[in-house]
Amino acid sequence: MKTTTMTRVTSLIGGALLGLTTLQASAASEMPPIPDVKGDVVKADGDFKIKFSIGTTQSGAQYRGLEYFEKIVEKRSDGHIQVELFPGAQLGDDLQAVSALQSGTLEMTAPSTSPLVSMFPKFALFDLPFLFPTPEVADEVLDGEIGQQMLKDASTNGLVAIGWAENGYRQLTNSQHPVSSPEDLDGLKIRTMQNPIHLDIWRTLGANPTPMSFAELFTALEQGVVDGQENPWITIQSSKFNEVQDYATETNHVYTPFITLVSERFWNKLPADYQQLLREAAKQMGDYERHVSRTMNDQIKQELADSGMQITELTPEQMKTFQDTVAPVYDDWRDKIGGELIDKVRAVSQ
Ligand code: KDG
């Protein structure tokens, strides 16, 4: 992660004149192009329709990944599987989409793991602060034994988990003032995901956290119900949070993955060859989406600064203060998540 010798404030008032839609349009246009479809046509019986719902918007990396998934599945099934995409929580937020899969009224979704911790406690691993120092460590965990076992463990309760993608490294934003130390968080109302560790993190840092669905977040920020929130740069831009948040701090405090889920009722209707096709497409989608997310990360951070957001980059000393301040969160959660699992991830980054 890039660090600087002293706190550096980045903002160009001129950039504020750059319309937001132009901003999103330029970002979308510079995303790595959707790759060609690899793999032969799969011949199997039946015609199927997949409604695929996500909470992030059409201009984010996640939607770009879904467009690749749609292309692969429709081409390799020779049109016998049709995919329809529903971004922006049109069909409900993460938890509503998951329960729709369980009841069989929706075929696919890809939520963040954080809102699902009450259903799958091991997912809390991803909510531990500063546990994934680099995207490479995240890949090794997601694509390795730990991540693949988690997909197997999460294939229950009416769900089939078939792959990983990336929401990304989370950054703090707020509407009140620059934040470069935990003290600056005193009294700030920060929205968190519906997740007990995130509440613990921001409470431990001295803020006043409140859990809320992603689908309600923009309005809550706009109306001042909360002062701030935290999400990856690409989600901050694709959700227009910089329209209602003047300040950001590059904290990289948590790495959040997306998990690709299929309704078990739908899955059991599919011939085995089509099940395998969806697994392969989910893998290719996840790899491409992570590539898009990482390619766009720094560029979008700069675009947000150009649009007038005041971004604070922490010095190594300031970052260490945040890390030391939240360290007690590990004591609270080590046993619940499993010390062995946490040590395994730590070993990956050694
Ligand atoms: O469906 C969108 C959510 O999965 C994702 O954006 C969650 O990061 C998230 C948040 O802040 O709720």
Side-chain angles (χ1 to χ4, degrees), residues 53-57 62 89 92-94 109-115 167 170 191-194 212-215 217 229-232 235 239 241 256-258:
S53 166
I54 57 171
T56 56
T57 71
Q62 187 181 27
D93 66 21
D94 287 355
T109 190
S112 291
T113 48
S114 307
N167 189 346
R170 307 180 76 88
R191 175 268 178 182
T192 73
M193 288 183 280
Q194 297 135 311
M212 183 187 295
S213 164
F214 185 74
L217 181 49
Q229 65 86 45
E230 37 82 58
N231 255 290
T235 300
S239 303
F241 293 155
T256 304
F258 288 129

Side-chain angles (χ1 to χ4, degrees), residues 151-170:
L151 292 179
K152 289 197 183 81
D153 298 343
S155 297
T156 180
N157 292 349
L159 304 169
V160 181
I162 62 171
W164 295 106
E166 166 174 288
N167 189 346
Y169 284 95
R170 307 180 76 88

